[in-house]
Amino acid sequence: DAGVTQTPRHEVAEKGQTIILKCEPVSGHNDLFWYRQTKIQGLELLSYFRSKSLMEDGGAFKDRFKAEMLNSSFSTLKIQPTEPKDSAVYLCASSLWDREEQYFGPGTRLTVL
Amino acid sequence: GQQVQQSPASLVLQEGENAELQCNFSSTATRLQWFYQHPGGRLVSLFYNPSGTKHTGRLTSTTVTNERRGSLHISSSQTTDSGTYFCGMPNYNVLYFGSGTKLTVEP
């Protein structure tokens, strides 16, 4: 079974651009999570989906961040417009609905100039 | 909000020494998940366990949920154990993470 996959692995954007990050969860997993990792803030939740329904939206990220589950095996995270403070590693994770054990993808390192 | 405290923040060992990493959390979680991250690498799940003790190779995870604490013991450390270790506390399925313990094992 393939693990969680994320593309691209690296992204460089100019301030004000729109970027879209992609994630494919482990096959058969019902829960999908987006987290952001920075040295200062650590790991923070951006969004949580269960079977394509948005369950939780990180309060601090609502205005320019939008995550979607296009189907049960594909999710996107759109940042619009990007700002330099968005530079971070964006992580996607998935789990089965009845187990809280999460499996993480390799992450997308975003640099906003 | 949910709080997870990890200690120590950093630890330097000589190869062969043992390490004990601590995790304390603010709410009554039913289990903890421990992760390892090499610099620039993905979060790799080491343990996912409820109250009790689990072993994998040189690693031992102990969780005492009614005391809101957990620990990760690494025995006979190796240079390849170097990296950052995170504990995650699930709350309604969302993981809340500590700030991590950065472990450096010197030859």
Side-chain angles (χ1 to χ4, degrees):
Chain A
D1 253 349
V4 177
T5 59
Q6 290 188 248
T7 55
R9 294 294 311 277
H10 302 274
E11 178 81 61
V12 179
E14 297 285 336
K15 178 183 172 181
Q17 274 187 292
T18 295
I19 62 103
I20 296 177
L21 310 181
K22 304 178 183 72
C23 172
E24 294 179 35
V26 174
S27 178
H29 281 190
N30 316 90
D31 285 356
L32 185 138
F33 306 83
W34 284 98
Y35 294 92
R36 186 172 85 167
Q37 184 176 27
T38 61
K39 282 198 167 92
I40 295 175
Q41 299 294 332
L43 285 144
E44 306 170 281
L45 177 76
L46 297 173
S47 293
Y48 160 37
F49 292 89
R50 166 161 290 183
S51 299
K52 302 196 294 179
S53 296
L54 182 64
M55 303 299 289
E56 190 164 333
D57 205 344
F61 300 97
K62 284 184 178 176
D63 57 347
R64 298 180 295 106
F65 293 73
K66 184 176 176 61
E68 291 184 299
M69 287 284 306
L70 303 183
N71 56 55
S72 61
S73 58
F74 186 69
S75 176
T76 59
L77 174 66
K78 180 191 286 187
I79 308 176
Q80 179 184 34
T82 52
E83 297 182 6
K85 65 181 180 180
D86 300 333
S87 296
V89 176
Y90 290 83
L91 298 168
C92 180
S94 69
S95 66
L96 287 169
W97 72 271
D98 59 345
R99 269 178 76 83
E100 293 166 313
E101 184 174 16
Q102 295 187 19
Y103 296 86
F104 280 77
T108 295
R109 181 173 294 277
L110 172 66
T111 303
V112 182
L113 304 173
Chain B
Q2 308 301 329
Q3 292 197 9
V4 181
Q5 303 287 342
Q6 286 188 249
S7 61
S10 63
L11 185 59
V12 180
L13 299 175
Q14 295 296 312
E15 200 166 24
E17 291 182 323
N18 299 333
E20 186 88 9
L21 283 56
Q22 304 292 339
C23 178
N24 294 281
F25 43 94
S26 63
S27 73
T28 309
T30 59
R31 59 203 70 219
L32 282 184
Q33 191 168 1
W34 284 95
F35 296 89
Y36 166 77
Q37 187 177 44
H38 194 269
R42 76 167 71 198
L43 282 165
V44 175
S45 181
L46 299 173
F47 291 100
Y48 166 68
N49 61 301
S51 211
T53 299
K54 280 192 173 181
H55 304 276
T56 299
R58 296 179 293 105
L59 304 181
T60 301
S61 168
T62 300
T63 304
V64 186
T65 49
N66 61 359
E67 294 181 12
R68 302 182 182 177
R69 62 179 177 85
S71 65
L72 179 67
H73 183 83
I74 305 172
S75 63
S76 303
S77 62
Q78 300 175 0
T79 56
T80 51
D81 296 331
S82 297
T84 303
Y85 293 80
F86 292 95
C87 68
M89 177 197 76
N91 185 264
Y92 295 101
N93 301 302
V94 175
L95 276 176
Y96 292 86
F97 290 89
S99 301
T101 293
K102 183 177 179 182
L103 176 65
T104 303
V105 182
E106 297 176 340

